[in-house]
Every structure is written in structure tokens, then in C-alpha cells.
Amino acid sequence: MSELGNPVDGLTEILEGIEAYHATDAHVSTPWYLGMAASAQYRLGNIKMGLEYTAEALRLAEDTKDKNFEVELWRLQGELLRCCDNSEREAEDSFHQAIDVAQRQHAKLWELRATVSLCRLWQNQGKCAEAHQMLSEIYGWFTEGFDTVDLVEAKALLAELAKRVE
């Protein structure tokens, strides 16, 4: 619901779901669920609460070794930090952490998403040549799926960066 444009109801469903899930003493995938809540908070502009959810999710991922969603949690944390004053360095660190984890997990799609986020930050900082180079390398790895949302977004960003590099 949140991803489809109704973050208020989506967040309510997510939080009620987490509560009901934990009432059964189940905790597997909780970092993922908290990440969904953080994403909904981001959509609502509740940056502080989104950061709290991502911090808790990353802590749980480390404690439980439930690392399936770790890359996206680091990326999401970076996106949330981009919304905060004077937090560009922390946002960049989060994006780099996401990319490092994706590379260790051999998760190319997650790596692409994190790279797109980092390159958008760099684009805003005027580092277009560096962003274009980095994004070109990961984008060039893909041989199919060019109509998927992530690859379409990456291709569009590459085109924007190329215009600024010329």
C-alpha cells in the first residue's frame, strides 16, 4: 500500500503486522519489516522516525545475522540522511556500505540500486564524471532485464550524467 501511493495506510498495516507477528514469538525477517516501515516513513516525510527504524533494523540484522535485506537498509538509511541538513557525508557512507555489502553478497541488483543512490548524491555535488564512471560499470554488468524499473532508472541517470560530463 505504501509503495502504491498510500503510505499512511501502508504504515499502519506494516506496524500492525509487526506487532501481530511478534506476538507469536516470531522474529525472522523483522529487519525487512522494519525497513518497509522506514520506507513508509520516508514517503511521509518522517525522516527521524525512518532513521530510527533503519537503525533498529540494522542492529537486529547484525544481532540475528538476518542479512537478506541489509543492503537495502543501508541504502534507505542513506536516502533518509540525504534529507537531513549537513548529513551528506553520512549519507555517502551509508551508500558505500550498501555497495560493499551487495558486492560481498554478489547481489548485483541491490548493488545497482545503491550505486544509483550514491550517484544521485554525487550528481548533486557536481561529481558527474565519477558518478557516470561508477554507474556505467555496474550497469554494463547486466545483459537482460533492461525494461525493469531499476535498469530504466539507471539508464536515465546515466544519460543525465553524460550530458553534464560533456
Side-chain angles (χ1 to χ4, degrees), residues 1-48:
M1 289 171 74
S2 177
E3 300 240 348
L4 296 175
N6 189 348
V8 173
D9 291 342
L11 179 60
T12 300
E13 291 285 326
I14 292 165
L15 296 177
E16 287 175 359
I18 291 171
E19 187 177 321
Y21 185 63
H22 287 170
T24 68
D25 263 346
H27 297 282
V28 174
S29 296
T30 297
W32 179 55
Y33 302 135
L34 289 171
M36 290 190 318
S39 183
Q41 293 287 9
Y42 176 65
R43 284 179 171 68
L44 290 167
N46 298 332
I47 305 307
K48 184 177 185 237

Side-chain angles (χ1 to χ4, degrees), residues 115-134:
T115 301
V116 165
S117 289
L118 175 61
C119 290
R120 285 204 187 284
L121 175 66
W122 283 355
Q123 179 184 31
N124 291 338
Q125 294 173 341
K127 299 177 183 177
C128 296
E130 298 94 326
H132 189 272
Q133 176 64 36
M134 183 177 205

Side-chain angles (χ1 to χ4, degrees), residues 70-85:
E70 183 183 16
V71 174
E72 185 63 3
L73 291 170
W74 283 112
R75 190 195 70 78
L76 180 57
Q77 179 176 278
E79 292 293 348
L80 287 158
L81 287 165
R82 280 185 63 191
C83 298
C84 299
D85 291 336

Side-chain angles (χ1 to χ4, degrees), residues 49-117:
M49 186 57 76
L51 286 167
E52 288 177 19
Y53 283 131
T54 55
E56 176 66 10
L58 286 164
R59 185 192 63 74
L60 282 172
E62 185 60 35
D63 290 351
T64 63
K65 305 301 182 221
D66 184 357
K67 307 272 185 156
N68 294 327
F69 200 59
E70 183 183 16
V71 174
E72 185 63 3
L73 291 170
W74 283 112
R75 190 195 70 78
L76 180 57
Q77 179 176 278
E79 292 293 348
L80 287 158
L81 287 165
R82 280 185 63 191
C83 298
C84 299
D85 291 336
N86 303 314
S87 295
E88 280 190 354
R89 183 68 197 146
E90 292 89 349
E92 186 171 345
D93 290 345
S94 291
F95 295 142
H96 279 294
Q97 183 68 26
I99 292 166
D100 290 345
V101 172
Q103 289 172 343
R104 283 195 309 272
Q105 293 178 350
H106 305 285
K108 288 295 187 185
L109 184 60
W110 290 118
E111 182 181 349
L112 176 73
R113 293 184 94 197
T115 301
V116 165
S117 289

Side-chain angles (χ1 to χ4, degrees), residues 135-156:
L135 187 53
S136 293
E137 289 173 13
I138 182 67
Y139 184 82
W141 182 88
F142 290 88
T143 59
E144 60 186 353
F146 293 104
D147 58 344
T148 62
V149 172
D150 291 307
L151 286 166
V152 167
E153 183 181 354
K155 183 178 180 181

